[in-house]
Amino acid sequence: MSTAPLNPLRIPADIWRSRHLLGQLIKRDVLMRYRGAIFGVLWIFLSPLIMLAVFAFIFGHIFQARWPQQDAGIPFWLLLYSGLIAFNVFAETISRAPTSVRGYPSFVKKIIFPVNILPIVPLGAALVHGGFNFLILLAALAWTSHLHASILLFPFLIIPLLLLALGLSWFLAAWGVFIRDMTQIVPVFVQMLLFLSPVFYPVSAVPEILRPLYQYNPLGAVIETSRTAIIGQPIEWSTWGMALGFSMIVSILGYAFFQHSRDEFADAL
């Protein structure tokens, strides 16, 4: 196993050095998903559009659901959709992490290939889809006359979630090489997180004794903070800052663990 010292500054340098290769892998990953489909890459737009239309019909007309103590008059289905954008980026990245290295045994066995970028590919692909989801959200907010300038902070506000997803991906990608069960365990865990995170409800609806668990974990903090920006309300930067600090630690530890384990990958595969 590698005994390289833990150096946080090495992480962005390693990624930047492989940026062109990483870009090609992300592009290939996104295009592969739509290869052979009748509408091809148009599904990047069609999928979120259809999902938003279903949300509007189910929650806006059939259930006529409302947020507890709903402010700003923004429709419930838009609040729901905005929370799902951030969560889906996290969920897609984490769900694919266990196979991100194991799925490329030929790359792993090439000594010069930067294996450390393989867990970043699912995150890049998830961000591409999240970007189109965000454009659909912007259009829907403008159409319903609820578009606030603070929504431009959204890409900045989800940075803690991206760092958390990246750190966990490095952990899960390494474990996925040695423990095949990870491909079964992680999707179940992600489904549980969907309902345990404030996607379908605000933190204020959670029993008071449990609120700190929602407010101060990076996933819950980012979903709540980004949704606050979308509504146009003041952002709790202290909560966001704590989430950022925690996520940075997770990403550094995840990268260190991955680099420590990578020498064993070729033998395990």
Side-chain angles (χ1 to χ4, degrees):
M1 290 188 178
S2 172
T3 56
L6 178 61
N7 181 3
L9 296 178
R10 183 179 165 186
I11 302 175
D14 287 350
I15 296 173
W16 179 256
R17 192 161 46 243
S18 305
R19 63 190 182 282
H20 296 300
L21 179 58
L22 180 60
Q24 291 299 315
L25 287 172
I26 293 172
K27 179 182 176 183
R28 174 178 175 271
D29 189 273
V30 172
L31 294 179
M32 283 286 288
R33 180 177 305 191
Y34 303 105
R35 191 170 68 175
I38 294 176
F39 293 106
V41 293
L42 279 178
W43 280 111
I44 291 180
F45 263 118
L46 291 176
S47 293
L49 201 58
I50 293 171
M51 186 171 71
L52 188 60
V54 171
F55 281 2
F57 177 68
I58 299 295
F59 296 106
H61 294 281
I62 295 182
F63 288 148
Q64 297 184 0
R66 285 181 59 81
W67 211 251
Q69 300 172 334
Q70 187 169 325
D71 296 325
I74 189 170
F76 173 84
W77 49 275
L78 275 177
L79 291 169
L80 183 61
Y81 185 76
S82 63
L84 275 174
I85 292 176
F87 182 84
N88 284 344
V89 171
F90 177 82
E92 183 179 342
T93 304
I94 296 302
S95 298
R96 297 180 57 198
T99 58
S100 60
V101 172
R102 187 153 54 83
Y104 297 94
S106 58
F107 289 179
V108 174
K109 293 172 183 176
K110 292 179 180 177
I111 297 176
I112 60 171
F113 186 85
V115 181
N116 57 316
I117 65 172
L118 288 177
I120 308 175
V121 175
L123 175 61
L127 276 175
V128 171
H129 293 102
F132 283 100
N133 288 345
F134 182 64
L135 292 177
I136 296 291
L137 175 65
L138 284 178
L141 288 168
W143 181 60
T144 57
S145 303
H146 290 97
L147 186 61
H148 298 277
S150 56
I151 195 175
L152 295 176
L153 291 172
F154 185 87
F156 176 71
L157 292 173
I158 66 168
I159 288 175
L161 186 138
L162 303 184
L163 290 173
L164 178 67
L166 189 56
L168 293 177
S169 288
W170 274 318
F171 274 117
L172 295 172
W175 287 334
V177 172
F178 306 108
I179 307 171
R180 301 298 174 102
D181 301 70
M182 295 304 296
T183 53
Q184 306 300 322
I185 296 171
V186 173
V188 174
F189 177 70
V190 169
Q191 285 185 342
M192 291 169 56
L193 274 182
L194 174 62
F195 294 100
L196 293 174
S197 302
V199 174
F200 297 103
Y201 48 85
V203 170
S204 60
V206 176
E208 192 168 351
I209 193 172
L210 296 176
R211 284 182 196 170
L213 294 176
Y214 281 79
Q215 288 176 317
Y216 298 114
N217 81 78
L219 184 58
V222 167
I223 290 173
E224 274 286 292
T225 306
S226 58
R227 190 158 45 213
T228 301
I230 289 169
I231 296 172
Q233 293 181 342
I235 295 168
E236 291 190 25
W237 289 107
S238 59
T239 302
W240 183 86
M242 291 177 65
L244 178 64
F246 181 83
S247 298
M248 289 178 69
I249 293 172
V250 172
S251 64
I252 292 169
L253 293 178
Y255 188 75
F257 180 78
F258 185 91
Q259 293 293 70
H260 180 71
S261 308
R262 60 178 295 174
D263 290 347
E264 307 291 333
F265 291 167
D267 293 336
L269 293 172

